[in-house]
């Protein structure tokens, strides 16, 4: 499995040590030493490739199925021989205004941690490097890895939330700008709302697993790690508050945009109505004098034609001033 296993290491007293190249032998060594654990990282394994890991680590078949399908909500499952945590790392492309999510599964059991990654979002390499520089954290065993991975994912949520808020401020400025394409703005608002919803699907369901890990009664979790998981839970609460605020603000911006479009349409209709009224008066007069009758007023009057033209111009001028005062033009 050279293309599937990203990294595999044995950690003793918080420090990485040399071990067998085969992860089955490495797991036996970690369990024999008692104060060691094995951390193996996998990237998008197939069912066949994951069979050996499943049998060696004794992973529950339901958790294995979830890890292979990679379409799960964030959750925490407790089995007899292991814990199973699902996280959804998020990446935000501010040039395309798109939120993409990956999936990260963490198995924690007796002297082992197995991480399975799907997608491009990959906080694990940085997490492993940072943990190896802090052996006092790694001394807490496999729980330290679960905490560090969760903390990295949630901290990046905060960065994504800040980036979304900056782009939302730009969108808000565009909505209330007197110039701009109304249709394009409406499309951007709906698109932004979809991205916020995608972000919310990653952050919202994770609150309950973090609360459980911060509490008591969860097996395979070191007692001293509860304050750290509480810290992650607090950060996640901030993220969810940001996401809810973004969603409410987007709804308000959309409502304001639709209201502005209605006002502009009313203004346009008033202008059209005013110009139509000014055009209707001379049309009416010209239509009356265009009828083929022998006996009509002023037909034989020399100044009748210019008088009618002046009447038309005077009425149109009066209507124009009236509509200007009313704000229709």
């Amino acid at each position: 499995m050279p293309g599937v296993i990203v990294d595999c290491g044995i950690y003793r007293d918080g420090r990485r040590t040399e071990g067998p190249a085969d992860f089955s032998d490495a797991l036996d060594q970690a369990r024999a030493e008692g104060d060691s654990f094995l951390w193996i990282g996998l990237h998008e394994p197939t069912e066949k490739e994951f069979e050996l890991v499943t049998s060696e680590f004794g992973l529950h078949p339901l958790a294995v199925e979830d890890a292979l399908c990679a379409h799960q909500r964030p959750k925490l499952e407790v089995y007899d021989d292991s814990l199973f945590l699902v996280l959804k790392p998020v990446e935000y492309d501010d040039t395309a205004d798109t939120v993409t999510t990956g999936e990260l599964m963490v198995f924690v059991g007796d002297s082992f941690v197995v991480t399975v990654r799907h997608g491009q979002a990959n906080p694990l390499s940085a997490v492993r490097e940072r943990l190896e520089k802090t052996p006092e954290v790694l001394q807490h065993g496999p729980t330290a890895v679960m905490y560090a991975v969760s903390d990295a994912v949630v901290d990046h949520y905060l960065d994504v939330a800040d980036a979304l808020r900056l782009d939302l401020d730009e969108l808000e400025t565009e909505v209330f700008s007197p110039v701009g394409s109304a249709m394009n703005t409406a499309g951007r608002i709906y698109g932004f709302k979809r991205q916020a919803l995608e972000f919310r699907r990653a952050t919202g369901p994770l609150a309950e697993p973090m609360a459980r890990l911060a509490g008591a009664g969860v097996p395979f979790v070191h007692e001293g790690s509860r304050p750290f998981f509480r810290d992650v839970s607090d950060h996640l609460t901030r993220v969810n508050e940001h996401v809810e605020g973004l969603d409410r603000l987007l709804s308000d911006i959309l409502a304001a945009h639709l209201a502005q479009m209605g006002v502009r349409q009313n203004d346009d209709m008033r202008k059209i109505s005013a110009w139509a009224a000014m055009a209707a008066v001379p049309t009416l007069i010209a239509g009356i004098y265009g009828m083929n009758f022998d006996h009509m007023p002023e037909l034989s009057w020399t100044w009748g034609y210019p008088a009618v033209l002046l009447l038309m111009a005077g009425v149109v001028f009066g209507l124009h001033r009236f509509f200007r005062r009313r704000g229709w033009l």
Side-chain angles (χ1 to χ4, degrees):
M1 300 167 59
V4 177
I5 298 179
V6 179
D7 199 351
C8 179
I10 298 178
Y11 297 87
R12 182 177 184 182
D13 293 330
R15 300 185 183 277
R16 186 163 183 161
T17 62
E18 294 295 331
D22 183 77
F23 68 83
S24 300
D25 297 334
L27 179 61
D28 293 337
Q29 177 180 322
R31 286 175 172 171
E33 292 174 350
D35 55 352
S36 304
F37 70 93
L38 174 68
W39 180 4
I40 178 173
L42 308 175
H43 179 235
E44 297 183 356
T46 64
E47 182 177 357
K48 184 177 181 180
E49 292 168 336
F50 206 54
E51 285 180 355
L52 182 59
V53 178
T54 302
S55 60
E56 290 295 332
F57 291 88
L59 305 180
H60 197 279
L62 292 178
V64 172
E65 181 181 356
D66 290 343
L68 293 174
C69 290
H71 292 289
Q72 306 298 318
R73 298 172 72 249
K75 63 179 180 178
L76 175 67
E77 298 288 351
V78 180
Y79 298 103
D80 293 337
D81 299 324
S82 62
L83 286 180
F84 178 59
L85 177 66
V86 179
L87 303 165
K88 295 184 78 68
V90 172
E91 290 292 338
Y92 178 60
D93 184 359
D94 55 358
T95 57
D97 293 338
T98 55
V99 172
T100 57
T101 59
E103 290 202 21
L104 183 57
M105 290 79 170
V106 183
F107 294 88
V108 172
D110 180 18
S111 302
F112 72 84
V113 178
V114 177
T115 54
V116 182
R117 177 172 61 89
H118 294 268
Q120 298 303 316
N122 180 21
L124 292 182
S125 58
V127 169
R128 189 185 288 262
E129 182 179 354
R130 186 169 62 250
L131 279 176
E132 290 178 353
K133 294 179 180 178
T134 54
E136 64 276 6
V137 177
L138 272 177
Q139 286 179 351
H140 292 87
T143 306
V145 177
M146 179 178 283
Y147 154 71
V149 172
S150 303
D151 185 58
V153 171
V154 173
D155 282 348
H156 192 61
Y157 285 165
L158 289 170
D159 297 335
V160 173
D162 291 338
L164 284 171
R165 184 55 189 258
L166 289 176
D167 285 354
L168 184 57
D169 289 341
E170 295 178 1
L171 182 60
E172 186 177 15
T173 302
E174 179 181 336
V175 168
F176 291 102
S177 174
V179 296
S181 173
M183 295 301 297
N184 184 47
T185 301
R188 285 194 62 194
I189 294 173
Y190 277 112
F192 210 101
K193 200 168 181 64
R194 285 196 298 269
Q195 303 310 315
L197 178 61
E198 184 70 17
F199 190 26
R200 192 170 190 170
R201 288 173 179 167
T203 64
L206 188 57
E208 190 268 340
M210 289 298 105
R212 289 177 61 189
L213 289 171
V218 180
F220 305 106
V221 175
H222 193 278
E223 292 292 329
S225 64
R226 292 180 191 173
F228 297 97
F229 282 112
R230 280 199 297 269
D231 182 67
V232 176
S233 182
D234 290 341
H235 290 178
L236 184 61
T237 300
R238 288 175 51 198
V239 171
N240 286 326
E241 289 174 352
H242 284 318
V243 175
E244 290 178 4
L246 289 173
D247 187 65
R248 288 195 301 268
L249 188 56
L250 277 168
S251 298
D252 293 341
I253 290 175
L254 180 59
H257 177 65
L258 294 177
Q260 280 187 331
M261 290 183 62
V263 170
R264 290 172 185 171
Q265 288 176 351
N266 289 336
D267 289 340
D268 293 340
M269 289 302 299
R270 284 190 304 210
K271 291 178 181 179
I272 293 172
S273 300
W275 287 110
M278 288 188 290
V281 172
T283 302
L284 174 64
I285 298 174
I288 292 174
Y289 279 90
M291 291 187 292
N292 297 321
F293 291 100
D294 292 333
H295 303 285
M296 292 184 66
E298 290 83 30
L299 284 181
S300 58
W301 185 35
T302 304
W303 299 100
Y305 180 71
V308 171
L309 292 180
L310 288 174
L311 175 63
M312 292 180 183
V315 173
V316 171
F317 179 74
L319 287 174
H320 187 271
R321 293 198 62 183
F322 173 74
F323 290 138
R324 286 290 297 271
R325 289 178 179 176
R326 295 292 300 271
W328 286 33
L329 292 174

